[in-house]
Amino acid sequence: MIKIKQNTANKRILQIAIPSIISNITVPLLGLIDVTIVGHLGAPSYIGAIAVGGMLFNIIYWIFGFLRMGTSGMTSQAFGKQDSNEVTRLLIRSVGIGLFLAFCLLLLQYPICKIAFMLIHTTDEVKELAILYFYICIWGAPAMLGLYGFAGWFIGMQNSRFPMYIAITQNIVNIIVSLCLVYLLDMKVAGVATGTLIAQYAGFLMAILLYLRYYKPYKQHITWKEILKKKAMNRFFQVNRDIFFRTLCLVIVTMYFTSAGAAQGEIVLAVNTLLMQLFTLFSYIMDGFAYAGEALAGRYIGAGNQIALHRIVRKLFLWGFGLSLAFTLLYLVGGKAFLGILTNESSVIKEANSYFYWVLAIPLAGFSAFLWDGIFIGVTATRQMLISMFIASACFFGVYYIFHHLLGNHALWLAFLIYLSMRGIVQTYLGRKVIFL
């Protein structure tokens, strides 16, 4: 059994974590670029349309994120076993299922749009433009869901650099094409949507080319009978089913957090939105280390190397604890100044001061949940991950409903922190059984 040295363990973690962090940071840029372009067209309805359309697609693609996560864990295990045939089969399964789901979205685009805009209340002008945005961008579903398969596969192959290259390429293409369509052809919202669409397919094409260029040993002939083996397909769907329901719980909690804040007035909504930006920034960093957990934990489980697995888990938690302390200090020193950059509304900033201490507790309360998610995905302990998310979500709603009449918006933040903490606590209990047997 091969042992890995301490410095080697840190190096392998950072080799996956740093490109993943860069990729995570570039993700919101696609939406930010679109908003920036239409923000100079002279009508607020353009901004509203992009915001509504972008939010809708974020929810749709977020729900299908299991394609990336499930593929990453299973691929890293096959990589650890040095099973080249299964590695290739997993890529074909994941991308194939992603394309099938995208085809279903295209077929159902009209009812999806109809139901979505029954639930989203906005002005007629914004609604008309947002629907136009939706009907253009929905054709990017094959590229996006196909990319999920490739991104998970690359990470499982211990390569987070390729997803980073793809994300950067998408942003460059989106900027150039959108600017040309909006300002040279006067296509406005349609131009921004088309630019996003072209950028998505540019990323998908790049993923295919990178695979063909750098993974020649894996381009062997595999029959559909091998790919569609019942046992392998059952495992694939079982893993992804658990991740799907886990993600659904996460989406419900996140959306309810926003909705409950909105019900308390526009000031509270604005405050919660701004403070959540600090959580989002922290999550981009921790997700990078979670990806490292996916790739490395799966690799060592696949190789049967328990010593290396335990060492990587310990190292990940040392990184997580250190970074959470650093973020707590960073927010303590500069967090309020950062809020001042995001808005100059004095009423919002004043109200935010009342809730700011909740943000200081987020890094230490939440870092273990991120890391365990990555480790559980890597070892495909997805049922345990679903159980922990279900318990944490139940705690979130229980705490909020018990205390919201007494504490108001403070109850919402208290519930959110308990939700983050419970995920980590339950996962630690279950993780000891999964990892340290």
Side-chain angles (χ1 to χ4, degrees):
M1 189 178 293
I2 301 173
K3 297 183 180 181
I4 56 173
K5 296 180 180 179
Q6 299 286 348
N7 290 338
T8 304
N10 284 324
K11 183 178 179 181
R12 287 180 178 172
I13 289 170
L14 293 176
Q15 281 176 338
I16 297 170
I18 291 174
S20 297
I21 291 167
I22 295 171
S23 298
N24 289 341
I25 293 172
T26 65
V27 168
L29 287 181
L30 277 171
L32 182 62
I33 291 163
D34 291 349
V35 170
T36 303
I37 291 173
V38 298
H40 292 82
L41 295 180
S45 58
Y46 295 140
I47 299 175
I50 297 299
V52 170
M55 176 194 70
L56 182 55
F57 280 107
N58 284 341
I59 293 171
I60 291 172
Y61 293 138
W62 199 1
I63 289 173
F64 290 110
F66 64 84
L67 285 169
R68 188 208 65 75
M69 291 183 277
T71 303
S72 172
M74 288 182 280
T75 301
S76 61
Q77 289 185 24
F79 179 82
K81 293 176 184 176
Q82 299 182 351
D83 187 346
S84 299
N85 288 333
E86 182 60 14
V87 161
T88 308
R89 286 193 289 263
L90 281 164
L91 177 62
I92 297 172
R93 280 190 203 115
S94 182
V95 174
I97 291 170
L99 293 177
F100 172 76
L101 291 172
F103 179 70
C104 293
L105 287 176
L106 293 177
L107 284 179
L108 298 172
Q109 60 180 283
Y110 180 76
I112 290 171
C113 183
K114 199 75 174 175
I115 293 170
F117 286 97
M118 284 174 59
L119 300 174
I120 299 172
H121 302 290
T122 184
T123 65
D124 290 339
E125 187 177 3
V126 169
K127 180 179 178 181
E128 182 181 350
L129 291 171
I131 289 174
L132 172 64
Y133 182 90
F134 174 85
Y135 279 126
I136 293 173
C137 284
I138 191 64
W139 290 96
M144 288 299 294
L145 297 188
L147 264 175
Y148 278 178
F150 271 108
W153 191 82
F154 286 140
I155 291 170
M157 297 295 288
Q158 320 294 295
N159 181 357
S160 60
R161 291 173 292 110
F162 283 4
M164 179 185 69
Y165 298 154
I166 291 167
I168 293 171
T169 299
Q170 284 182 305
N171 279 286
I172 293 172
V173 171
N174 188 39
I175 293 171
I176 295 172
V177 176
S178 295
L179 286 173
C180 290
L181 293 178
V182 170
Y183 290 106
L184 297 181
L185 300 181
D186 196 30
M187 290 178 65
K188 297 185 171 64
V189 169
V192 169
T194 305
T196 300
L197 180 67
I198 292 172
Q200 289 167 345
Y201 277 98
F204 187 46
L205 177 61
M206 184 176 179
I208 294 172
L209 294 175
L210 287 171
Y211 169 74
L212 294 175
R213 172 66 178 83
Y214 291 99
Y215 290 96
K216 289 181 180 179
Y218 296 95
K219 291 185 293 183
Q220 52 228 322
H221 176 70
I222 294 177
T223 64
W224 283 104
K225 184 178 179 180
E226 292 176 308
I227 294 169
L228 300 174
K229 276 184 178 178
K230 185 177 179 180
K231 185 177 179 181
M233 291 297 289
N234 284 343
R235 180 170 182 256
F236 187 88
F237 282 112
Q238 180 182 346
V239 167
N240 284 301
R241 178 197 62 203
D242 292 339
I243 297 174
F244 170 78
F245 284 114
R246 170 260 181 195
T247 305
L248 198 59
C249 289
L250 192 152
V251 170
I252 290 170
V253 169
T254 302
M255 292 183 68
Y256 188 84
F257 184 95
T258 302
S259 175
Q264 298 176 66
E266 61 181 23
I267 296 294
V268 171
L269 175 61
V271 167
N272 288 353
T273 301
L274 289 177
L275 293 178
M276 281 300 285
Q277 301 310 305
L278 297 174
F279 169 71
T280 301
L281 179 61
F282 175 69
S283 72
Y284 288 154
I285 306 301
M286 292 313 303
D287 267 339
F289 285 87
Y291 289 177
E294 293 176 25
L296 295 169
R299 174 180 180 177
Y300 296 128
I301 278 284
N305 191 341
Q306 287 290 324
I307 294 175
L309 174 65
H310 296 169
R311 181 169 290 159
I312 282 293
V313 170
R314 287 195 297 270
K315 283 292 181 181
L316 283 169
F317 274 88
L318 285 173
W319 276 104
F321 183 71
L323 286 168
S324 64
L325 283 178
F327 267 88
T328 300
L329 292 173
L330 179 65
Y331 289 163
L332 182 64
V333 174
K336 292 183 180 180
F338 178 70
L339 295 181
I341 295 173
L342 296 178
T343 182
N344 59 2
E345 289 288 336
S346 58
S347 59
V348 174
I349 293 174
K350 182 180 178 181
E351 187 72 9
N353 290 334
S354 302
Y355 302 98
F356 189 77
Y357 56 86
W358 292 112
V359 175
L360 297 179
I362 281 177
L364 286 169
F367 81 92
S368 63
F370 285 96
L371 296 178
W372 277 122
D373 276 352
I375 294 164
F376 277 22
I377 289 169
V379 302
T380 57
T382 52
R383 179 55 54 87
Q384 289 85 345
M385 188 166 66
L386 173 60
I387 291 170
S388 65
M389 177 61 80
F390 182 80
I391 293 172
S393 299
C395 289
F396 170 83
F397 287 106
V399 169
Y400 180 68
Y401 276 107
I402 290 170
F403 294 106
H404 79 281
H405 289 300
L406 180 65
L407 300 177
N409 194 50
H410 289 285
L412 192 60
W413 281 99
L414 173 63
F416 185 70
L417 280 176
I418 290 176
Y419 155 79
L420 287 176
S421 301
M422 284 304 298
R423 281 173 61 190
I425 291 168
V426 176
Q427 286 173 314
T428 299
Y429 173 74
L430 298 175
R432 290 176 65 86
K433 294 184 176 183
V434 172
I435 304 296
F436 296 105
L437 284 177

